[in-house]
């Protein structure tokens, strides 16, 4: 039935010119033709489609047959496959490229991962053929094809372990290889034209070369390829943990990454200037996309990570740059990655930061760097990672990198950095850590031969002023500020022991009366008040427990829709004991300080 | 003692375009003694060596290797080490002058190989463009941006950067400020003004490495 209808419309149209085909002709051709293929009449279809007298018709309407043909080709073991493949290939050569493109791109859209991977694998090569037929006007069509392909790839689950990457059950690896092969001829074309353009430009003036119509097409082509590379850098590359060759010898994902870097170099966007972009003013890109759209920040961060942590395309990267310059440029990328919530992006930010820091000598970074905004935002982002990131290993790594960054600053920079952190971190644990660092620096400065002007002498008291404070005076919540207060007390005790009254290298003996006023006295009061309060709480709770009186709480805490059970009396009592113990600990250090002060002052 | 390596290619095959330089280099690197490689400047990353060595040179080296039987394992280690220490980079053409730049203890030296225009000297902040090759003291090429003649298709631009701003290693910043447009010079940079105690392990620069750069200053903006 369908075959008859199809033969009818073909015969009828043989006599007509292409512009006389009616809408009905189009519809019948499409509907009957599709049914024929679905019903398996592929042999007859093939002979009709190949017939010389039908070529005008095929060129005009043939592309409508793509959907059922592709379905057959995807089934792979269908007996109609050879004929359908022949029809398919003929259509690719005969029909209008733009229409074929639309038809093929429609077939790319799938929902299931396996279907996505299979249709990409099948259709990328035909798409390539069709695009190459477009000649110099291919740029926007290429762009469309690339963004559709990437959209599909973005739907595939990414591997989380080396084993998953090896197994590649969702075929992301194969898709990456397919993409690499797909884009190759276009990159090569862009590269060739760029070389030609360069040699022309060096012969005549650069301006005249730009006005050339052909160059405009090439500019568009390069722009589309740049868009593709930038997109790929974000997804999937930024969202995947790449394995190095010694961990995983064969990795299509890593190959894709390397390929992208080489492609960028080939189209005239050297990886060197892309990585170092934040600090250099890039020349205005002639027209198509604005700077930030053209070079999305996340893509650049991903690029930096690939170059500096994975050393991909290392042979194209010059070994002449100053490690401090390298660090300065990467701070932008680190800041961005650390500000994201995705664990993997945070991890990459930490890795990139660490890699840059290690290349710099200890005690070498000058204080001027702290005038750069990123040198302040990075520690702030790092603080968030260290304190609230759910993953324990990232918190730990964050702390390690934080200390590493401190070690690289020179003395003046350390001094200013400590001041900055004490003023802005608003987190007791971090402040405590900084105070511990201050103590190390003072200790170093006091050793013979290390005297410096930052951690002893007249500059020290202003810094210490920031250390010996209580946020709310005597009413300060001592438990909340425990870390900070304990470190401050430890520092004070250290200074009193270490610095002789007669020498007063650290200025502590002159500052002591003020510290007593502003810090020690309110602290003593605070401890007494808190202790009294908690002791009362303890006795109340113990009594209630004995009498089995359950106090209904006015507050409840729920996590993820589940209400947490209220603390049992036993836990409450335990917590209260622990609080009291803490106050005892604080007080013991206070007392010790007083003892030492008396002893030393009386000498 | 391992069997001696066998010739893989005859003369015709060697001269043919079908045989890529990289294959030839790999063969020679795999089979030749260290001192042989050093003398023929075939040490280092294959890609870099391919950039700086001509096919004819490689064919000559290949034939030399079989003529002299200087394969791997034919020289005792101490002998090789002694030879490596004694090897000097001595193939440079006429050295016009050697300048020892005096800034406290000198941390680099410059030997002009080709004079520049002596008028256009870059100032701090200018953008300079240069072709360069970097080698270690033992001759290993660790970096270069010079496109070899056969690869003219690959568009490679000279390296451009703002000079005197601490963006590159100090030896370069200081050295390039003393060069004029068109000049080619050999800069020998002490580790303190290069990569110092850390080196750049992933780029084959060991700790405390003295670096030798042949630099051509192409443009000054």
């Amino acid at each position: 039935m369908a075959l008859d209808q199809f033969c009818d419309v073909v015969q009828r149209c043989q006599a007509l010119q292409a512009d006389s085909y009616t809408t009905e002709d189009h519809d019948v051709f499409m509907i009957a033709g599709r049914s024929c293929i679905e019903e398996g009449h592929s042999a007859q279809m093939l002979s009709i489609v190949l017939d010389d007298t039908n070529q005008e018709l095929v060129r005009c309407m043939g592309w409508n047959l793509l959907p059922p043909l592709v379905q057959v080709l995807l089934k792979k073991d269908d007996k109609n496959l050879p004929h359908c493949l022949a029809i398919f290939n003929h259509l690719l050569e005969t029909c209008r490229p733009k229409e074929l493109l639309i038809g093929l791109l429609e077939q790319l859209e799938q929902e299931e991962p396996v279907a996505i991977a299979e249709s990409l694998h099948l259709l990328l090569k035909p798409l390539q053929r069709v695009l190459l037929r477009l000649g110099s006007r291919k740029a926007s069509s290429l762009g469309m094809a690339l963004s559709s392909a990437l959209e599909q790839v973005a739907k595939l689950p990414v591997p989380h372990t080396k084993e998953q990457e090896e197994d590649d059950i969702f075929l992301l690896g194969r898709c990456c290889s397919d993409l690499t092969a797909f884009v190759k001829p276009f990159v090569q074309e862009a590269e060739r034209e760029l070389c030609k353009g360069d040699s022309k430009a060096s012969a005549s003036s650069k301006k005249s070369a730009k006005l050339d119509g052909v160059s405009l097409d090439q500019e568009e082509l390069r722009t589309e390829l740049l868009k593709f590379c930038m997109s790929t850098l974000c997804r999937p590359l930024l969202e995947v943990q790449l394995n190095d060759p010694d961990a995983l010898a064969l990795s299509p994902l890593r190959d894709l990454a390397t390929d992208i870097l080489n492609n960028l170099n080939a189209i005239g966007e050297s990886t060197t200037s892309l990585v170092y972009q934040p600090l250099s003013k890039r020349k205005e890109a002639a027209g198509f996309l604005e700077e930030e759209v053209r070079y999305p920040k996340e893509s650049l961060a991903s690029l930096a990570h690939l170059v500096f942590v994975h050393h991909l395309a290392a042979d194209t990267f010059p070994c002449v740059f100053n490690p401090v310059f390298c660090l300065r440029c990467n701070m932008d990328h680190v800041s961005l990655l650390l500000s994201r919530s995705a664990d993997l992006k945070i991890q990459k930010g930490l890795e990139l930061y660490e890699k840059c820091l290690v290349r710099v000598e200890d005690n070498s970074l000058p204080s001027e760097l702290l005038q750069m905004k990123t040198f302040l935002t990075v520690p702030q982002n790092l603080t968030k990672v260290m304190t609230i990131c759910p993953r324990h290993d990232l918190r730990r790594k964050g702390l390690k990198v934080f200390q590493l960054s401190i070690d690289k600053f020179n003395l003046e920079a350390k001094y200013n950095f400590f001041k900055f952190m004490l003023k802005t971190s608003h987190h007791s644990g971090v402040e405590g850590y900084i105070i511990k660092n201050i103590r190390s620096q003072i200790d170093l400065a006091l050793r013979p031969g290390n005297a410096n002007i930052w951690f002893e002498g007249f500059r020290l008291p202003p810094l210490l002023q920031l250390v010996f404070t209580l946020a709310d005076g005597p009413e300060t919540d001592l438990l909340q500020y425990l870390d900070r207060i304990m470190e401050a007390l430890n520092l004070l005790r250290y200074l009193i022991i270490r610095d002789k009254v007669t020498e007063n290298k650290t200025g502590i003996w002159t500052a002591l009366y003020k510290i007593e006023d502003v810090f020690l006295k309110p602290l003593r009061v605070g401890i007494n008040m808190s202790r009294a309060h908690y002791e009362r709480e303890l006795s109340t709770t113990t009594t209630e427990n004995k009498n089995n009186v359950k106090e209904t709480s006015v507050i409840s805490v729920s996590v993820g829709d589940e209400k947490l059970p209220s603390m049992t009396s036993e836990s409450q009592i335990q917590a209260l004991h622990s609080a009291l113990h803490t106050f005892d600990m604080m007080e013991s250090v206070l007392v010790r300080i007083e003892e030492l002060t008396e002893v030393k002052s009386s000498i | 003692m391992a069997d001696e390596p066998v010739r893989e290619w005859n003369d015709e095959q060697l001269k043919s375009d079908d045989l890529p330089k990289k294959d030839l280099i790999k063969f020679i690197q795999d089979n030749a003694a260290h001192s042989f490689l050093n003398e023929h400047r075939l040490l280092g990353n294959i890609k870099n060596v391919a950039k700086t060595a001509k096919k004819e040179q490689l064919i000559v080296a290949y034939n030399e290797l079989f003529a002299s039987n200087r394969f791997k394992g034919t020289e005792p280690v101490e002998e090789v080490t002694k030879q490596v220490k004694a090897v000097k980079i001595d193939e440079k053409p006429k050295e016009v002058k050697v300048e020892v730049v005096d800034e406290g203890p000198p941390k680099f030296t410059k030997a002009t190989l080709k004079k520049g225009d002596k008028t256009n000297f870059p100032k701090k902040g200018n953008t300079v463009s240069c072709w360069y090759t970097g080698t270690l003291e033992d001759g290993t090429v660790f970096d270069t941006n010079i496109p070899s003649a056969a690869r003219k298709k690959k568009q490679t631009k000279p390296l451009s950067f703002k000079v005197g701003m601490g963006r590159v290693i100090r030896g370069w910043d200081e050295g390039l400020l003393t060069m004029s447009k068109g000049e080619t010079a050999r800069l020998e940079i002490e580790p303190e003004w290069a990569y110092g105690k850390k080196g750049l392990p992933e780029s084959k620069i060991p700790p405390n490495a003295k670096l030798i750069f042949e630099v051509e200053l192409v443009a000054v903006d």
Side-chain angles (χ1 to χ4, degrees):
Chain A
M1 253 296 288
L3 189 55
D4 295 331
Q5 284 181 324
F6 189 70
C7 292
D8 277 345
V9 73
V10 167
Q11 241 176 350
R12 191 168 62 241
C13 292
Q14 267 174 1
L16 300 172
Q17 298 276 29
D19 45 9
S20 328
Y21 301 151
T22 64
T23 324
E24 207 202 319
D25 291 333
H26 275 95
D27 286 344
V28 174
F29 183 96
M30 182 174 78
I31 296 170
R34 287 185 183 180
S35 305
C36 284
I37 295 176
E38 283 158 12
E39 288 166 18
H41 303 298
S42 48
Q44 296 94 317
M45 293 289 288
L46 178 59
S47 59
I48 296 173
V49 157
L50 288 179
D51 192 333
D52 282 334
T53 45
N54 295 329
Q55 289 317 296
E56 186 69 33
L57 180 62
V58 170
R59 193 167 67 85
C60 196
M61 302 189 201
W63 67 283
N64 286 299
L65 300 174
L66 285 176
L69 284 173
V70 169
Q71 290 312 307
V72 170
L73 294 175
L74 282 173
K75 276 196 219 122
K76 289 187 228 188
D77 56 356
D78 193 312
K79 60 175 160 43
N80 289 302
L81 191 113
H83 292 130
C84 285
L85 185 57
I87 300 173
F88 186 69
N89 285 328
H90 183 74
L91 293 177
L92 290 180
E93 291 306 313
T94 317
C95 302
R96 295 191 197 101
K98 295 240 167 164
E99 288 168 343
L100 284 170
L101 186 73
I102 294 170
L104 289 171
L105 288 180
E106 268 173 11
Q107 293 308 302
L108 264 187
E109 280 178 49
Q110 303 287 341
E111 289 310 313
E112 293 301 313
V114 177
I116 292 174
E118 290 299 333
S119 60
L120 269 169
H121 190 63
L122 175 70
L123 296 173
L124 280 181
K125 262 244 149 11
L127 269 167
Q128 193 188 66
R129 274 168 69 185
V130 169
L131 286 165
L132 287 170
R133 280 180 62 198
L134 281 170
S136 60
R137 303 288 311 154
K138 65 166 79 67
S140 56
S141 303
L142 175 63
M144 220 168 28
L146 286 171
S147 65
S148 298
L150 280 182
E151 233 179 79
Q152 295 308 304
V153 170
K155 295 181 193 166
L156 293 173
V158 294
H160 294 295
T161 66
K162 191 179 75 175
E163 291 72 28
Q164 282 181 355
E165 193 186 335
E166 253 177 319
D167 294 339
D168 200 23
I169 49 174
F170 292 112
L171 298 169
L172 177 61
R174 193 176 70 170
C175 288
C176 289
S177 308
D178 293 339
L179 267 179
T180 307
F182 174 73
V183 93
K184 206 181 177 105
F186 307 113
V187 173
Q188 285 172 337
E189 176 186 331
E191 192 182 14
R192 265 197 319 269
E193 294 301 318
L194 197 59
C195 284
K196 267 199 239 159
D198 275 350
S199 47
K200 261 199 226 139
S202 49
S204 59
S205 99
K206 276 197 179 153
K207 286 202 186 115
S208 54
K210 268 237 153 73
L211 293 172
D212 197 323
V214 174
S215 299
L216 209 58
D217 288 331
Q218 283 305 313
E219 186 81 32
E220 270 193 58
L221 178 64
R222 281 199 299 275
T223 303
E224 292 299 340
L225 289 169
L226 175 65
K227 253 185 8 202
F228 167 71
C229 290
M230 290 287 135
S231 286
T232 315
L233 282 169
C234 262
R235 298 169 78 179
L237 291 177
L238 189 56
E239 303 181 339
V240 148
Q241 168 115 26
L242 280 188
N243 289 291
D244 288 327
D246 46 359
L248 185 61
L250 285 170
S251 167
L253 279 166
R254 196 177 59 233
D255 291 340
L256 177 65
T258 310
D259 212 65
I260 295 288
L261 296 180
N262 289 329
N263 289 349
L264 284 166
N265 278 321
I267 63 173
E269 303 280 347
S270 87
T271 45
T272 317
S273 41
L274 287 173
V275 162
Y276 292 142
Q277 192 201 10
L279 287 195
S280 26
K281 287 204 184 73
R282 285 186 71 81
K283 49 191 190 302
E284 291 242 334
F288 296 98
L289 297 170
E290 281 185 15
E291 183 97 1
E292 299 222 338
V293 177
R294 196 175 163 90
Y295 305 105
K297 293 198 158 114
E298 267 207 11
S299 307
L300 294 182
S302 175
L303 175 66
H305 186 265
L306 291 173
V307 169
F308 290 106
V309 176
H310 289 294
H311 311 302
L312 297 184
D315 52 348
T316 61
F317 208 81
C319 307
V320 300
F321 288 103
N322 189 325
V324 177
F325 177 65
C326 177
L327 174 66
R328 277 167 60 200
C329 293
N330 276 307
M331 289 302 272
D332 277 59
H333 306 306
V334 170
S335 187
L336 181 75
L337 290 170
L338 290 181
S339 67
R340 294 288 186 253
S341 48
D343 287 345
L344 190 56
K345 292 183 187 177
I346 293 177
Q347 186 183 320
K348 291 188 181 198
L350 292 174
E351 286 169 354
L352 182 58
Y353 195 23
E354 188 179 31
K355 247 314 166 15
C356 292
L357 286 170
V358 198
R359 291 161 107 212
V360 171
E361 304 268 358
D362 282 357
N363 291 309
S364 65
L365 296 178
S367 192
E368 287 73 32
L369 287 176
L370 290 175
Q371 286 165 16
M372 287 176 65
K373 198 167 112 194
T374 45
F375 273 85
L376 302 178
T377 56
V378 166
Q380 285 171 328
N381 289 336
L382 199 45
T383 300
K384 283 205 199 87
V385 171
M386 292 192 288
T387 56
I388 62 178
C389 179
R391 266 177 56 183
H392 174 63
D393 61 328
L394 290 182
R395 291 200 303 273
R396 213 176 38 211
K397 190 174 176 83
L399 186 59
K400 179 169 163 236
V401 177
F402 184 62
Q403 184 60 54
L404 185 63
S405 72
I406 292 174
D407 295 340
K408 300 300 176 183
F409 284 126
N410 70 11
L411 288 170
E412 181 183 354
K414 278 186 171 90
Y415 179 88
N416 288 322
F417 182 69
F418 294 155
K419 263 188 159 171
F420 169 73
M421 289 303 289
L422 286 175
K423 284 184 191 162
T424 63
S425 67
H426 304 304
H427 185 275
S428 173
V430 173
E431 288 166 3
Y433 195 75
I434 294 287
I435 296 171
K436 203 153 62 177
N437 263 282
I438 294 176
R439 179 153 62 110
S440 316
Q441 288 307 311
I442 296 175
D443 187 51
L444 274 173
L446 291 178
R447 291 202 194 150
N450 281 358
N452 68 70
I453 58 171
W454 295 98
F455 291 98
E456 53 172 338
F458 72 95
R459 283 201 176 82
L460 198 48
L463 182 61
L464 294 181
Q465 216 170 5
L466 294 169
V467 173
F468 300 118
T469 69
L470 276 178
D472 303 308
E475 278 125 12
T476 309
D477 183 337
L478 298 176
L479 292 177
Q480 185 186 345
Y481 290 98
L482 173 64
D483 290 330
R484 189 200 207 292
I485 295 172
M486 285 310 297
E487 286 298 342
L489 287 173
N490 286 335
L491 174 59
L492 186 53
R493 180 178 52 187
Y494 166 80
L495 288 170
I496 291 178
I497 296 174
R498 183 74 173 75
D499 198 3
K500 296 205 188 84
V501 184
T502 45
E503 285 178 3
N504 197 20
K505 281 192 191 149
T506 61
I508 189 67
W509 296 101
T510 2
L512 201 51
Y513 77 95
K514 200 152 173 232
I515 295 178
E516 166 71 32
D517 242 1
V518 165
F519 183 61
L520 296 173
K521 196 158 81 189
L523 186 56
R524 245 177 257 121
V525 174
I527 292 177
N528 290 333
M529 276 175 25
S530 304
R531 183 183 281 126
H533 171 82
Y534 276 83
E535 274 171 354
R536 193 170 57 243
E537 275 295 314
L538 183 59
S539 70
T540 325
T541 316
T542 326
T543 328
E544 271 174 17
N545 202 18
K546 284 215 189 97
N547 301 342
N548 264 326
V549 173
K550 277 254 146 81
E551 191 191 292
T552 42
S553 176
V554 271
I555 328 166
S556 70
V557 180
S558 21
V559 176
D561 290 337
E562 261 188 65
K563 194 170 137 183
L564 293 181
S566 17
M567 274 179 103
T568 61
S569 310
E570 286 77 26
S571 315
Q572 280 184 353
I573 292 173
Q574 217 174 19
L576 293 168
H577 272 300
S578 151
L580 287 170
H581 176 72
T582 307
F583 302 135
D584 289 341
M585 196 171 59
M586 263 189 220
E587 191 164 44
S588 73
V589 184
L590 259 179
V591 167
R592 183 80 185 113
I593 290 173
E594 279 166 29
E595 286 174 357
L596 287 166
T597 318
E598 269 184 48
V599 169
K600 290 210 141 186
S601 328
S602 62
I603 289 177
Chain B
M1 168 87 161
D3 289 333
E4 270 187 7
V6 178
R7 275 178 180 274
E8 252 200 67
W9 306 285
N10 62 32
D11 284 323
E12 259 178 58
Q13 288 170 319
L14 284 175
K15 289 192 194 135
S16 148
D17 280 356
D18 289 355
L19 177 61
K21 283 203 283 191
K22 284 186 192 171
D23 287 7
L24 199 41
I25 296 170
K26 183 162 187 344
F27 179 91
I28 303 176
Q29 280 189 343
D30 283 352
N31 292 298
H34 185 94
S35 61
F36 183 90
L37 293 175
N38 199 4
E39 281 166 28
H40 287 85
R41 308 201 71 202
L42 295 171
L43 284 173
N45 183 305
I46 294 184
K47 279 191 185 158
N48 285 335
V49 177
K51 282 184 192 175
T52 53
K54 295 209 174 66
K55 185 84 179 283
E56 294 77 22
Q57 271 173 261
L58 295 172
I59 297 176
V60 165
Y62 180 83
N63 288 323
E64 246 290 295
L65 179 60
F66 281 99
S68 64
N69 282 338
R70 287 170 66 189
F71 301 112
K72 262 197 181 34
T74 56
E75 281 160 335
V77 179
E78 312 89 61
E79 180 67 4
V80 170
T81 327
K82 202 169 50 159
Q83 288 184 2
V84 167
K85 281 200 183 128
V87 164
K88 287 190 181 61
I89 304 161
D90 60 357
E91 77 308 330
K92 292 298 170 211
K94 34 186 178 156
E95 297 192 3
V96 179
K97 57 186 171 181
V98 180
E99 279 175 305
V100 173
V101 183
D102 191 24
E103 218 160 321
K107 293 280 182 272
F108 83 99
T109 60
K110 187 186 92 168
T112 306
L113 305 173
K114 188 181 88 177
K115 292 187 212 181
D117 67 4
K118 299 224 182 172
T119 10
N120 288 302
F121 286 90
K123 292 195 261 306
K124 282 195 184 177
N126 287 155
T127 301
V128 297
S129 304
C130 41
W131 301 110
Y132 68 92
T133 301
T135 53
L136 300 178
E137 278 185 288
D138 69 2
T140 313
V141 176
F142 62 82
D143 189 17
T144 181
N145 71 343
I146 296 176
S148 61
R151 290 171 75 225
K152 262 232 165 74
K153 277 193 282 183
K154 269 255 167 21
Q155 57 103 13
T156 323
K157 294 205 172 98
L159 180 67
S160 293
F161 63 95
K162 282 199 178 155
V163 71
M165 311 274 285
R167 294 191 177 186
V168 291
I169 52 177
R170 192 161 169 197
W172 265 52
D173 259 348
E174 304 279 351
L176 274 151
L177 288 174
T178 68
M179 291 170 68
S180 62
K181 181 168 164 183
E183 181 177 337
T184 302
R186 183 165 88 233
L187 300 173
E188 293 191 13
I189 307 172
E190 298 292 325
E192 292 84 344
W193 283 16
Y195 290 105
K197 284 178 266 187
K198 305 258 173 187
L200 267 186
E202 52 269 358
S203 310
K204 299 187 180 54
I205 298 178
N208 294 313
K210 179 167 163 179
L211 303 181
I212 298 144
F213 285 95
E214 192 173 303
V215 184
E216 182 190 342
L217 178 58
V218 174
V220 180
D221 294 316

